[in-house]
Amino acid sequence: MKTKNKIRLFSIVIAIGLLITVSCDDYLSIVPKGERIPTTLSDFALMLKDEYNTHHIDVTQALILLNDRYVTTSNLNYYPLYDANYNWDESANRIELNKSDEGAYYFGYAAISTSNLIIENVPDATEATEAERNKVIAQSKVLRAMSYFNLVNYYSDTYVASTAADKGGVPLITSANMNAPHTQPSVKGIYDFMLQDMQEAYNDLPETAETILHPDKATADAFYARLYLQMGNYDQALSHADKALTANDALFDWVTFYDNHKGVIENPEDFSTRLPSPMGFDYVENYNFRHGTVASYQSSENSVTLERMEIFEEGDARATARWKLYTVGNESYYRSSMTGYYNYGGMTTVEVYLIKAECLARSGKYQEAMDVVNTVRETRILPEHYQPLTASTEAEAMTYIIQTKGNEMIMTQVPFIDARRLNAEGKYPVTRSKVLDGVTLTLSPTSHLWTMPFPQGAVENPGNGTITQNVSK
């Protein structure tokens, strides 16, 4: 790389780094600054590759609330917010406990700030054609919409058409300028904004993106499917799911992966051999890649609780290859067997398959829905355990779809978001239970714990606007 380009890249990295290193109290009013500022389209396009900020999707408290992620006793004692969510303490004032900088909020708005910076400045970027500028703007709008989707489905009540206009949403900021004003529209207002971003972006997206970090049309169709499913618009969700699967319908063969690593997987004493994660940048199921709670560095996955592991289907090669039973002292959990990278925050084919399955089930095509689910399961369930699923009612089909999707999307934001949607609908509510010290604890579908409180630091220092909590505690 030439020295000039090295300096330019360094300046951009520093600029984006300010989004995180500056006080989080001023988060909604940040604009990256520095001696050198990006001017060419390639300068701005580099920001879309900023994995730690633009593509870091942190949903730690959602994983803890679901009890998908195992939390050690020491961490429960040290982090009271962890304990309140993990043990479903409805008496806890989570607003008071959430005074520290919480990743879901701050990383979400870091990504949005980057998108805003690009969208505002790329129209004047040099060394590019109008079509090239429009493409980068479109890609930024898709990523912005995806970030807002995560935030509104974390800090606000879930979308219900009849009440969405009356429910408080999340801060909406569309500028990276210093002290830019922001509003906090309703849940409907945030969804309208996401749909507008997607509609404006779609035609300018490429058929195939230059890297897996850049959205293309297939990524947009996959996200549209997720967005419309959350809104209960099954016809539109199915239409976009089919478009996405036309572009990419590949599924990773976890059965073959299991066979190739069988010696390590089936050895209960081997905790030192780390299997290579196939879920990284080149995972065949990727539409686009975004890091989850495990950030951009190479690492293992979060551990899984004993109760959660029981929900996996018998013979699930994907789950068995990823986690192994481990005991230390008086604590037992399933510890990660892998190292590498994981697409927790992006769109994948397996999610789109299961969105399609739900849409088919909702329209009365129960066995067609099961055929889609079985297509996924054939690549996951070991042959000696595999039996094709059948369904003759919507409820029967939905039971299989909910279980399969929850297992497939574990450690992502999707099971939490789906549970909220299903609970709001009321037909297929999600309940979690466990026994702690001889006492049965339950997370009910109507619990206020399903909506996370904004970090108190953000509410007290909201920048040029105000932030109203959507929960009382």
Side-chain angles (χ1 to χ4, degrees):
M1 181 184 293
K2 294 181 180 179
T3 302
K4 179 180 178 181
N5 288 334
K6 285 184 178 179
I7 293 172
R8 179 180 294 158
L9 177 57
F10 177 76
S11 301
I12 293 171
V13 170
I14 291 298
I16 293 299
L18 287 175
L19 292 172
I20 293 300
T21 58
V22 76
S23 168
C24 290
D25 293 346
D26 299 322
Y27 221 77
L28 288 175
S29 59
I30 294 167
V31 59
K33 297 186 295 182
E35 281 187 29
R36 298 175 62 87
I37 60 173
T39 56
T40 69
L41 184 65
S42 61
D43 289 341
F44 290 103
L46 278 174
M47 296 179 187
L48 291 176
K49 297 182 181 180
D50 184 2
E51 296 173 41
Y52 191 74
N53 295 325
T54 306
H55 299 286
H56 185 170
I57 311 301
D58 190 337
V59 290
T60 297
Q61 295 306 320
L63 303 181
I64 289 173
L65 183 76
L66 287 174
N67 273 217
D68 286 354
R69 172 180 167 178
Y70 177 76
V71 183
T72 64
T73 301
S74 62
N75 277 340
L76 290 176
N77 292 331
Y78 189 80
Y79 299 107
L81 181 62
Y82 283 33
D83 183 62
N85 284 324
Y86 195 66
N87 290 318
W88 308 321
D89 183 1
E90 294 192 333
S91 68
N93 188 337
R94 296 180 302 159
I95 294 173
E96 287 296 317
L97 299 179
N98 196 18
K99 286 186 175 179
S100 61
D101 295 349
E102 193 213 334
Y105 185 89
Y106 295 112
F107 279 110
Y109 280 104
I112 288 168
S113 192
T114 303
S115 292
N116 288 341
L117 182 67
I118 294 170
I119 293 165
E120 281 187 304
N121 290 282
V122 161
D124 297 321
T126 61
E127 300 180 20
T129 66
E130 183 177 0
E132 290 169 336
R133 294 188 193 96
N134 290 342
K135 181 188 73 169
V136 172
I137 292 171
Q139 290 172 325
S140 300
K141 286 187 175 183
V142 171
L143 292 175
R144 182 168 68 177
M146 293 177 73
S147 294
Y148 271 119
F149 182 86
N150 294 333
L151 289 165
V152 76
N153 281 288
Y154 202 82
Y155 296 109
S156 301
D157 287 349
T158 197
Y159 182 94
V160 176
S162 60
T163 62
D166 302 318
K167 298 288 187 177
V170 297
L172 178 64
I173 183 166
T174 59
S175 174
N177 291 330
M178 184 69 74
N179 293 321
H182 67 86
T183 60
Q184 186 179 355
S186 65
V187 169
K188 181 179 183 300
I190 296 295
Y191 272 78
D192 288 344
F193 181 79
M194 291 186 289
L195 288 170
Q196 178 181 324
D197 257 0
M198 295 299 294
Q199 290 160 3
E200 292 175 355
Y202 190 86
N203 288 336
D204 290 321
L205 292 168
E207 294 295 333
T208 303
E210 52 270 49
T211 77
I212 201 64
L213 298 174
H214 294 78
D216 53 21
K217 278 192 169 67
T219 306
D221 281 315
F223 177 66
Y224 255 138
R226 177 192 282 179
L227 180 58
Y228 279 121
L229 180 72
Q230 198 70 12
M231 298 177 71
N233 189 333
Y234 304 117
D235 290 340
Q236 284 289 350
L238 178 59
S239 174
H240 285 286
D242 281 335
K243 289 180 181 179
L245 291 172
T246 297
N248 179 16
D249 64 355
L251 289 167
F252 184 77
D253 189 348
W254 281 94
V255 172
T256 298
F257 182 90
Y258 184 100
D259 289 340
N260 291 340
H261 301 279
K262 191 172 184 178
V264 174
I265 294 169
E266 295 186 351
N267 183 348
E269 306 299 324
D270 187 352
F271 293 101
S272 60
T273 304
R274 293 289 186 175
L275 302 177
S277 167
M279 295 174 284
F281 302 99
D282 58 353
Y283 193 40
V284 297
E285 297 182 3
N286 289 344
Y287 289 110
N288 74 309
F289 185 98
R290 301 187 95 183
H291 294 282
T293 303
V294 177
S296 58
Y297 48 82
Q298 193 172 25
S299 65
S300 59
E301 298 193 79
N302 288 314
S303 298
V304 177
T305 64
L306 300 181
E307 295 87 353
R308 181 60 185 85
M309 206 68 180
E310 292 177 358
I311 299 176
F312 284 101
E313 189 175 347
E314 187 176 6
D316 190 328
R318 185 172 181 266
T320 310
R322 291 169 69 180
W323 295 284
K324 187 178 295 186
L325 182 63
Y326 181 75
T327 299
V328 55
N330 61 354
E331 297 189 57
S332 294
Y333 51 89
Y334 282 84
R335 196 172 82 168
S336 173
S337 300
M338 291 187 172
T339 185
Y341 300 95
Y342 310 89
N343 188 6
Y344 290 143
M347 299 303 308
T348 58
T349 58
V350 68
E351 180 183 355
V352 176
Y353 270 107
L354 295 170
I355 290 173
K356 177 176 181 175
E358 179 171 346
C359 294
L360 290 171
R362 298 280 190 170
S363 66
K365 299 176 181 178
Y366 313 128
Q367 193 49 49
E368 286 186 40
M370 291 300 93
D371 291 342
V372 174
V373 174
N374 288 330
T375 297
V376 172
R377 292 176 62 251
E378 285 173 353
T379 65
R380 270 59 172 169
I381 309 303
L382 298 173
E384 59 267 31
H385 296 283
Y386 177 81
Q387 291 292 331
L389 299 174
T390 61
S392 57
T393 66
E394 180 182 298
E396 192 175 11
M398 285 296 296
T399 297
Y400 291 132
I401 293 166
I402 292 168
Q403 180 186 19
T404 303
K405 192 176 181 187
N407 290 340
E408 286 295 325
M409 303 306 298
I410 191 170
M411 296 300 165
T412 77
Q413 69 273 45
V414 174
F416 174 74
I417 291 170
D418 274 353
R420 287 161 41 92
R421 171 174 62 87
L422 295 166
N423 290 341
E425 180 190 26
K427 290 174 68 176
Y428 310 107
V430 176
T431 301
R432 290 286 170 92
S433 297
K434 65 180 177 182
V435 177
L436 179 66
D437 298 330
V439 178
T440 299
L441 303 179
T442 301
L443 175 64
S444 75
T446 59
S447 175
H448 70 272
L449 298 176
W450 288 103
T451 299
M452 299 294 172
F454 293 119
Q456 192 67 355
V459 175
E460 293 174 351
N461 299 277
N464 190 1
T466 59
I467 301 175
T468 302
Q469 289 282 7
N470 293 316
V471 289
S472 59
K473 59 184 179 179

